[in-house]
Amino acid sequence: MGERYDCTKCKESLYGQKYILTEEQPYCVKCYEALFSSNCEVCQLLIGCTGKDLSYKDRHWHGDCFLCTKCDRSLVDRPFATMDDTLMCTDCYSNEYSAKCHACLKTIMPGSKKMEHKGNSWHENCFTCNRCQQPIGTKSFVQKDFSNYCIPCYEKQFAQQCVHCKAPITTGGVNYREQPWHKECFVCIGCKQQLAGQRFTSRDDFAYCLDCFCNLFAKKCASCTTPISGLGGSKYISFAQRQWHNDCFNCKRCCVSLVGRGFLTCKEDILCPDCGKDF
């Protein structure tokens, strides 16, 4: 008697019967479907071994059940998209969920390249400079009055020119005497320190930091010889073409403050009345 050829599961003879060979093990159709076939996501019926099993992310469908949930069009051999485990053709998905181009107002199809900025989206070819109409792509741009401009066009059309270097001011800047400056161009005429955000003063239309202004133009204290700026409300004493800081206007001999008091002079020195009696 010849060797038997039986189903691996139920041991029934497979001679003259249909069977499926899986990993070199034979199974009758009934056992194979019970062990290996899946139920359809839509109709919940078994997908038989003779039927078409369409699978996506461990989910299975009959060929006739693999349809767009919006328009019922077959998705067999067609591109599709999913949202919350729901199957849709790309047209329905786009109408339902895809962004609309801010320029042409048409849907931006899934998978196509798009540009995004501040919550708006564009087709790549629609994201263009409002002035030269050239695609901006990944280049730098400026948005003004809800329109986008490449940097060269923005500078030509809108940017002010620095009164010092004549180049466009695209970010920030300083307005001094109703004229625009780059921050890096608005510097002390003496030490070249940037003055933006700092206290400064001017003379003969030139801007100076306080240190340079005091060193160049301020009167010197007759006592400590350092400049008396007179800026910011600082007080000083002036007498006979000489000036003193308030804190320096003291009796040369006893060092008492003479601010608001009578005093005497002896050559270059100032003395309180008591010390002046001895001279």
Side-chain angles (χ1 to χ4, degrees):
M1 187 174 180
E3 184 179 353
R4 290 179 59 85
Y5 193 64
D6 300 334
C7 171
T8 303
K9 174 67 175 174
C10 68
K11 307 304 180 183
E12 291 291 328
S13 175
L14 297 176
Y15 283 110
Q17 305 295 323
K18 289 183 178 180
Y19 67 90
I20 297 96
L21 198 62
T22 300
E23 296 181 355
E24 299 184 359
Q25 298 294 320
Y27 294 87
C28 66
V29 171
K30 184 177 180 181
C31 288
Y32 177 86
E33 291 180 344
L35 291 171
F36 302 110
S37 293
S38 302
N39 289 332
C40 176
E41 285 280 329
V42 175
C43 69
Q44 303 303 317
L45 299 177
L46 191 73
I47 302 173
C49 61
T50 57
K52 193 170 186 177
D53 184 344
L54 300 175
S55 63
Y56 175 71
K57 290 187 177 180
D58 296 326
R59 301 166 66 201
H60 299 263
W61 292 263
H62 291 107
D64 293 339
C65 295
F66 196 59
L67 309 173
C68 171
T69 55
K70 293 290 183 181
C71 66
D72 291 331
R73 183 166 53 177
S74 174
L75 299 178
V76 178
D77 297 327
R78 292 172 181 259
F80 64 91
T82 62
M83 176 61 70
D84 298 329
D85 293 332
T86 300
L87 294 176
M88 283 177 278
C89 64
T90 53
D91 289 341
C92 289
Y93 181 89
S94 297
N95 291 333
E96 193 80 13
Y97 300 108
S98 291
K100 301 294 189 295
C101 176
H102 193 64
C104 70
L105 304 181
K106 294 181 180 179
T107 299
I108 301 175
M109 298 298 290
S112 60
K113 193 169 183 179
K114 67 177 179 179
M115 313 302 293
E116 295 181 317
H117 179 66
K118 292 185 177 181
N120 293 320
S121 301
W122 291 262
H123 292 108
E124 184 179 21
N125 292 332
C126 293
F127 191 59
T128 60
C129 171
N130 191 61
R131 189 172 188 268
C132 68
Q133 304 303 316
Q134 294 301 307
I136 295 173
T138 57
K139 295 183 293 186
S140 297
F141 68 97
V142 178
Q143 192 173 65
K144 181 177 176 62
D145 299 330
F146 305 105
S147 296
N148 301 316
Y149 298 87
C150 64
I151 296 300
C153 285
Y154 178 82
E155 291 178 350
K156 291 175 184 176
Q157 187 155 337
F158 300 107
Q160 292 181 310
Q161 287 189 337
C162 174
V163 70
H164 175 72
C165 70
K166 309 305 180 186
I169 301 173
T170 56
T171 57
V174 175
N175 191 45
Y176 175 63
R177 293 192 171 178
E178 298 184 358
Q179 291 181 314
W181 301 66
H182 290 113
K183 286 183 178 180
E184 54 271 23
C185 292
F186 187 59
V187 298
C188 171
I189 195 68
C191 66
K192 307 304 179 185
Q193 174 187 355
Q194 287 191 28
L195 297 177
Q198 307 296 323
R199 292 184 64 197
F200 66 92
T201 187
S202 63
R203 184 183 178 100
D204 299 329
D205 292 331
F206 294 111
Y208 297 86
C209 68
L210 298 190
D211 288 342
C212 286
F213 182 84
C214 289
N215 289 331
L216 290 170
F217 305 111
K219 298 180 183 298
K220 303 296 190 294
C221 176
S223 177
C224 69
T225 71
T226 59
I228 301 173
S229 69
L231 299 171
S234 60
K235 296 181 179 180
Y236 65 96
I237 306 297
S238 181
F239 174 74
Q241 297 185 344
R242 291 192 295 166
Q243 289 79 29
W244 292 261
H245 294 107
N246 264 23
D247 293 340
C248 295
F249 193 61
N250 304 321
C251 175
K252 181 68 174 182
R253 189 173 182 186
C254 69
C255 297
V256 67
S257 174
L258 299 177
V259 176
R261 299 178 58 185
F263 60 92
L264 301 173
T265 60
C266 181
K267 296 181 181 180
E268 297 297 319
D269 298 330
I270 54 172
L271 303 168
C272 67
D274 292 338
C275 293
K277 291 177 183 178
D278 298 332
F279 292 92

